[in-house]
Every structure is written in C-alpha cells, then in structure tokens.
Amino acid sequence: MDMDVAQGGSEKDDQMDEDGDDMDEEDDEEDEASVVYVPPKRVRASRKRRLSIPRDENGVVQLPFQIASLTILSLGKIDYERPLFHNERYIWPIGYTAEKTFMSMLNPVNQTVYTCRVEDGQDGPLFTLQAADAPDIELSAKTATGVWALVIKKANEARKKESSNAISGPEYYGFAHPLVCEMIEEMDGVDQCTRYVRRT
C-alpha cells in the first residue's frame, strides 16, 4: 500500500513522455526558445524623411516651397539700414510672402488660405493677412503675432467660442521654422543686420 503511494507520487512529480524523455526539460527548452526569438519591429522610412530646401543645379532656392500647412512664395528683400526690420531672433524682409491654411473667419466649419505679407510700414514692418474666402478684408498690425491674433479672434467668434491660447506670429508666418531661417540667412544684407544672431 505504501509502495503504491510512493510510486504514484513519483509518477506525478516526474512525468515522462512516450519516449521516456523528461517533459519538464522539454518545457524549459520551449520557454527558452520563445524568449530568444523576438520579431524585429518594422520602421517606416517615410516618417524619417527629412524635408530639405528645393534648389536648382546652381544651389539657388526654388519657390514656392511648402512646409506642412505653410507655403513660402517669396522671401522678399532685407532692409538692413532700418533697425526695426530685424531683431536678435528674426529678420523681416520687405515683400516676404507666404500662404497658410487656417480656420476661416466666416465659415465655422471650413478652413481657408491666408496670404501673409511683410510690407513697408515706413517706421517698421507692417504685417498683413488676407483670406481667400474674404478677399475684400485685409488685416494688418505692427507685429506678426498682433495680426494673427485678429484672425483667431474672428475665427473663434464665428465658432461662438472663446480661446485664451497663446499664439506665435513668427511661427504662423514661418519665420520660426529652421528652413525658413536658413533661406533668409542666405539672402544679401543679412550680415549688415547688426542685432541679428545667426542660427545656421
């Protein structure tokens, strides 16, 4: 009776397969194999594609140049003789023109294209915006942030909502983008902008 119990316990603790091999050892081998094999993750190359400035065979910048929702149409001309047309971080070339897709000021469910310009305001740059769906309306301010604040205010009014989010006019104009900075820094007159600090 006691012998049967001992044998029964042995069969339970040390189970064997039909070939007489130890099943626990086989399980360990399977576990080890499952840990070693880890399928590699696929990396999508398209997400790592770097945007570069379009140039011709002579290295001259080719416009228009699209950066996400912003399209650069003209870089304008640097006025280095009047200090208000640049500061330590940005240069505002007269005639700089870009288009940006943004919320419409009229239609609460639509977006529209805004033409952003830097014009000669005599005592400094004048930043203007004109919406494609409101061609008779031109907004202007002495700063890029100021004129975009007008657009956002009207766009929020059309949507009957309030917004206190901070905005960056240089970013909306494209001046804060590294590629736009690079293109502007290649223009004539940038070295005569005494307060400006180069980024590239």
Side-chain angles (χ1 to χ4, degrees):
M1 182 67 176
D2 293 340
M3 182 66 68
D4 292 339
V5 172
Q7 291 177 348
S10 176
E11 290 175 358
K12 182 177 180 180
D13 296 337
D14 300 319
Q15 294 182 2
M16 311 289 286
D17 62 10
E18 293 180 355
D19 296 330
D21 296 329
D22 192 328
M23 294 181 65
D24 289 339
E25 292 181 0
E26 183 177 303
D27 291 341
D28 290 341
E29 292 177 358
E30 291 178 353
D31 291 342
E32 183 179 354
S34 64
V35 170
V36 171
Y37 177 71
V38 178
K41 294 182 179 180
R42 295 182 178 179
V43 178
R44 295 183 179 179
S46 60
R47 292 185 177 180
K48 291 190 174 182
R49 185 178 61 183
R50 182 179 178 182
L51 190 64
S52 59
I53 298 172
R55 303 176 185 273
D56 63 14
E57 62 275 9
N58 298 317
V60 179
V61 174
Q62 297 295 289
L63 299 177
F65 175 32
Q66 184 171 355
I67 307 173
S69 63
L70 186 75
T71 301
I72 311 302
L73 301 179
S74 174
L75 293 174
K77 183 179 180 180
I78 293 177
D79 186 344
Y80 57 85
E81 294 181 344
R82 289 184 284 178
L84 291 179
F85 282 85
H86 72 275
N87 63 15
E88 295 83 358
R89 299 182 63 188
Y90 304 112
I91 297 174
W92 301 293
I94 298 173
Y96 174 93
T97 306
E99 290 180 343
K100 181 175 178 61
T101 302
F102 195 70
M103 295 184 298
S104 170
M105 296 181 291
L106 303 179
N107 193 317
V109 297
N110 285 350
Q111 291 189 328
T112 189
V113 176
Y114 291 85
T115 300
C116 319
R117 294 188 182 91
V118 178
E119 300 181 7
D120 189 347
Q122 301 304 319
D123 57 343
L126 183 68
F127 298 86
T128 66
L129 290 177
Q130 194 167 28
D133 63 350
D136 296 332
I137 301 175
E138 183 179 88
L139 303 176
S140 64
K142 291 186 177 182
T143 66
T145 298
V147 71
W148 268 108
L150 297 175
V151 171
I152 292 177
K153 179 180 179 181
K154 291 181 178 295
N156 285 332
E157 288 175 354
R159 286 157 181 78
K160 297 181 180 179
K161 67 176 184 179
E162 297 182 359
S163 175
S164 58
N165 295 336
I167 63 169
S168 169
E171 181 178 340
Y172 281 32
Y173 258 77
F175 293 122
H177 196 283
L179 293 182
V180 176
C181 292
E182 182 178 344
M183 290 189 291
I184 290 177
E185 289 183 353
E186 293 178 4
M187 297 172 62
D188 293 335
V190 64
D191 291 332
Q192 282 72 41
C193 296
T194 55
R195 293 186 297 159
Y196 181 70
V197 179
R198 278 182 173 270
R199 300 189 187 185
T200 60

